[in-house]
């Protein structure tokens, strides 16, 4: 009886030796992927994103994406965008009509609602 238990335990350990390195590799891969994805930051189309590293501005804009190095700081704050369509027309001395139309975009920052994500 004890011989059968010992044989079963030995067989189970030999099988564990076959798959244990694969499980350890998958766990390591999962941890590394999670660490890398935690450094990727994106902002919404109505948010400003500023990436600061070593005291200098690296990247800033609305709706940006960036990979933040360790020691970098990501700042996100909300903003609004207004679109204005305009048209102007005028008659020249030769009585020809000239018309200009276009769009103007205006961004404004909503103050008091900022989030700061710093890296240690």
């Amino acid at each position: 009886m004890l011989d059968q238990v010992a044989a079963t335990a030995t067989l189970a350990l030999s099988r564990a030796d076959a798959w244990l390195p694969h499980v350890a590799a998958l766990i390591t891969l999962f941890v590394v992927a999670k660490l890398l994805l935690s450094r990727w930051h994106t902002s919404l189309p109505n948010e400003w994103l500023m990436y600061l590293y070593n005291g200098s501005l690296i990247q800033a804009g609305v709706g940006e994406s960036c990979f933040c190095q360790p020691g970098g700081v990501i700042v996100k704050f909300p903003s609004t965008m207004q679109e204005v369509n305009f048209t102007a027309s005028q008659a020249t001395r030769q009585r020809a009509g000239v018309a200009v139309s276009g769009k103007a975009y205006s961004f404004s920052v909503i103050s008091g609602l900022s989030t700061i994500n710093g890296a240690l």
Side-chain angles (χ1 to χ4, degrees), residues 53-114:
Y53 184 74
N54 203 15
S56 61
L57 180 66
I58 304 297
Q59 187 175 359
V62 177
E64 292 282 328
S65 303
C66 68
F67 183 79
C68 181
Q69 298 177 4
V73 176
I74 298 290
V75 179
K76 293 182 189 179
F77 48 91
S79 65
T80 61
M81 182 181 96
Q82 286 82 30
E83 177 185 33
V84 178
N85 295 319
F86 64 89
T87 302
S89 59
Q90 182 69 35
T92 64
R93 288 183 186 164
Q94 292 83 16
R95 302 195 191 248
V98 176
V100 176
S101 62
K103 292 183 181 184
Y105 295 98
S106 171
F107 288 97
S108 63
V109 175
I110 302 170
S111 64
L113 301 172
S114 65

Side-chain angles (χ1 to χ4, degrees), residues 12-26:
L13 286 176
S14 67
R15 288 184 183 163
D17 289 342
W19 58 266
L20 192 60
H22 299 295
V23 170
L26 284 174

